[in-house]
Amino acid sequence: MKTIRNLLILTLILSCGSCKNSKFGRGLRGLPENPAADEWYLDAEGFRKTIDGKKTDLYRLSNDAGMEVYVTNFGAVIAAIIVPDKEGIPGDVALGFKEVEGYAAEGDPYFGAVVGRYGNRIDGGRFELDGQVYELPINEAGNDNQLHGGPKGFSEMVWETGELTNNSIELSLVSPDGDMGYPGRLELSVRYTLTQDNALEMVYKAVTDKPTVLNITQHTYFNLKGEGRGNILDHELMLNADHFTPVNQRLIPTGEISPVEGTPLDFTTATKIGKRIDDDYEQLSFGRGYDHNWVINAGDGGLNLAGTVYCEETGRFLEVLTTEPGVQFYCGNFLDGSLTGKSGGSYEHRGGLCLETQHFPDSPNQEGFPSTVLNPGKEYYQKTVFRFSVK
Ligand code: BGC
């Protein structure tokens, strides 16, 4: 009897040890070989902190097709996207940090975050609305612009966690009147939903009590080989856009809407990102590579295809759909190997790419661009979808 009991205890101890192993050690880039429903890929404890007097946490969304998405309420960050490759092997395709502190640290290049109030740049951190000039804190030193909502934008805030189910989560925040220089008390929410067909849907809603400007985007860096597995120059990109908005040296749009035809920015047919990235072309030298806003070919005003990304090595295929008129394709030109990612490796130059669905940069100062003004009594609405499959 005693021997059987001892054997049982030994088995328990051993199986517990392997649980721990599979969580952090074995399998593809730290993933368990077969992640069971009760095994978490990221360590939730590293996300259970208090920042600005508010609790942060980690949440997991899953579906029956083997996809998992991890979300933290700090910055509404997507901390991991685990999706099978063509062999059915799961891998994490989103760059990020192991603990919440990484996202709160100064050097975080907006990994996975929701960016606001204004995604991308506002020239000189200054705009005029209804005859009044608003001065915003500058956080892009060299260029003297405001970038991504300023030093404490939505990506740096702890969001409230609302309704949570197995496959969806709602996060919200209140941005007070004058927050980062912007007028109006803004109430914003995002709902992330993981569908059974491996799509991560994002729905954003916002209201204001004074006229303001708003441009929300999602800043996930994708690497379809798996995060930390080299650069994305071999990924094939298609952008559903015949035009882009050229920039000046300070990465502020000139106001023109130019055809991509005949330039290295033409991704109307799927092309390897690395193919023309070093071409002698002024826009590429201003962006140090691709860092531009493409004008999505207009559909019916509903959910339109912004672009697709394909990785031959893993067969993973990503489609991005959105109700927004533009998409900023940024290919991680400022990553330089100095950041250590979730699986312990460093994120090299161009180790991830972003497809930031949005209104155009600097719209508050550009009469010809679609308006980003939000008035009281109107609801801001955006839907964007990251849909995964294999080919
Ligand atoms: C911008 C880049 C910037 C990056 C990270 C992108 O949206 O266009 O210029 O370096 O975000 O901040």
Side-chain angles (χ1 to χ4, degrees):
M1 204 53 203
K2 224 173 166 188
T3 330
I4 294 179
R5 207 194 60 191
N6 284 347
L7 259 176
L8 269 173
I9 292 173
L10 192 68
T11 317
L12 259 175
I13 293 171
L14 284 176
S15 64
C16 221
S18 80
C19 262
K20 225 174 171 165
N21 253 347
S22 66
K23 202 161 157 193
F24 302 111
R26 285 190 297 138
L28 181 76
R29 306 298 302 175
L31 274 185
E33 277 148 15
N34 291 298
D38 56 354
E39 276 181 1
W40 280 53
Y41 161 56
L42 289 178
D43 181 9
E45 282 313 312
F47 287 84
R48 287 195 185 119
K49 305 283 168 186
T50 302
I51 298 178
D52 298 335
K54 294 179 183 155
K55 298 264 184 230
T56 59
D57 211 333
L58 183 71
Y59 306 92
R60 180 180 63 170
L61 314 180
S62 60
N63 68 9
D64 298 334
M67 185 166 164
E68 291 187 347
V69 174
Y70 289 76
V71 174
T72 171
N73 60 323
F74 182 82
V77 160
I78 296 174
I81 301 178
I82 295 168
V83 63
D85 67 7
K86 61 184 171 190
E87 250 91 61
I89 300 169
D92 182 357
V93 297
L95 275 56
F97 300 107
K98 209 169 176 170
E99 301 188 331
V100 73
E101 270 97 349
Y103 297 99
E106 195 139 329
D108 165 38
Y110 304 87
F111 281 155
V114 168
V115 163
R117 284 193 194 189
Y118 203 94
N120 215 279
R121 294 172 174 81
I122 294 191
D123 191 3
R126 201 169 186 275
F127 71 96
E128 199 180 314
L129 180 63
D130 297 335
Q132 195 174 329
V133 172
Y134 293 92
E135 301 275 357
L136 314 172
I138 303 293
N139 61 331
E140 201 194 19
N143 284 340
D144 261 352
N145 298 316
Q146 189 185 80
L147 175 68
H148 295 333
K152 200 152 177 66
F154 299 165
S155 51
E156 314 307 312
M157 286 168 69
V158 179
W159 296 49
E160 284 287 310
T161 303
E163 200 195 341
L164 177 67
T165 70
N166 281 346
N167 71 326
S168 79
I169 184 170
E170 182 160 295
L171 299 168
S172 63
L173 59 75
V174 174
S175 165
D177 188 10
D179 191 13
M180 288 290 109
Y182 294 92
R185 177 185 186 274
L186 188 87
E187 291 175 24
L188 169 71
S189 69
V190 58
R191 174 172 279 275
Y192 292 120
T193 305
L194 177 58
T195 68
Q196 288 298 353
D197 61 348
N198 285 355
L200 176 62
E201 297 184 350
M202 290 148 269
V203 172
Y204 305 85
K205 291 178 183 170
V207 289
T208 178
D209 66 355
K210 281 185 196 162
T212 191
V213 295
L214 187 63
N215 191 26
I216 301 294
T217 192
Q218 221 299 329
H219 213 296
T220 290
Y221 288 64
F222 297 100
N223 185 326
L224 299 185
K225 287 185 281 203
E227 60 82 34
R229 300 191 65 195
N231 65 47
I232 46 70
L233 296 175
D234 58 353
H235 287 34
E236 285 173 25
L237 174 74
M238 189 284 291
L239 291 172
N240 180 27
D242 295 335
H243 296 87
F244 75 109
T245 52
V247 289
N248 64 21
Q249 263 167 309
R250 295 172 45 247
L251 297 181
I252 294 297
T254 59
E256 294 153 285
I257 294 191
S258 301
V260 292
E261 201 179 348
T263 79
L265 277 72
D266 187 350
F267 283 97
T268 49
T269 53
T271 309
K272 285 215 163 93
I273 292 169
K275 189 169 176 211
R276 300 161 302 182
I277 201 165
D278 294 322
D279 281 11
D280 183 15
Y281 184 66
E282 192 178 54
Q283 285 296 311
L284 286 177
S285 72
F286 287 168
R288 298 186 198 167
Y290 296 107
D291 189 359
H292 298 81
N293 171 68
W294 272 254
V295 179
I296 298 170
N297 292 336
D300 53 8
L303 199 61
N304 295 309
L305 184 66
T308 63
V309 188
Y310 173 59
C311 168
E312 198 181 353
E313 188 184 314
T314 61
R316 291 195 182 97
F317 184 63
L318 165 68
E319 292 162 280
V320 177
L321 300 105
T322 188
T323 54
E324 289 295 289
V327 59
Q328 182 86 13
F329 163 48
Y330 167 62
C331 64
N333 305 312
F334 294 104
L335 296 177
D336 59 5
S338 59
L339 294 173
T340 303
K342 280 172 270 191
S343 48
S346 65
Y347 289 141
E348 67 178 66
H349 188 219
R350 299 178 176 151
L353 71 98
C354 306
L355 288 173
E356 303 157 59
T357 57
Q358 58 176 21
H359 271 57
F360 308 168
D362 198 38
S363 299
N365 294 310
Q366 304 277 353
E367 271 179 22
F369 288 179
S371 172
T372 49
V373 174
L374 179 67
N375 286 312
K378 289 269 183 220
E379 188 182 59
Y380 171 91
Y381 176 88
Q382 178 195 153
K383 182 169 179 176
T384 291
V385 180
F386 298 151
R387 189 160 65 206
F388 294 90
S389 54
V390 285
K391 290 210 287 186

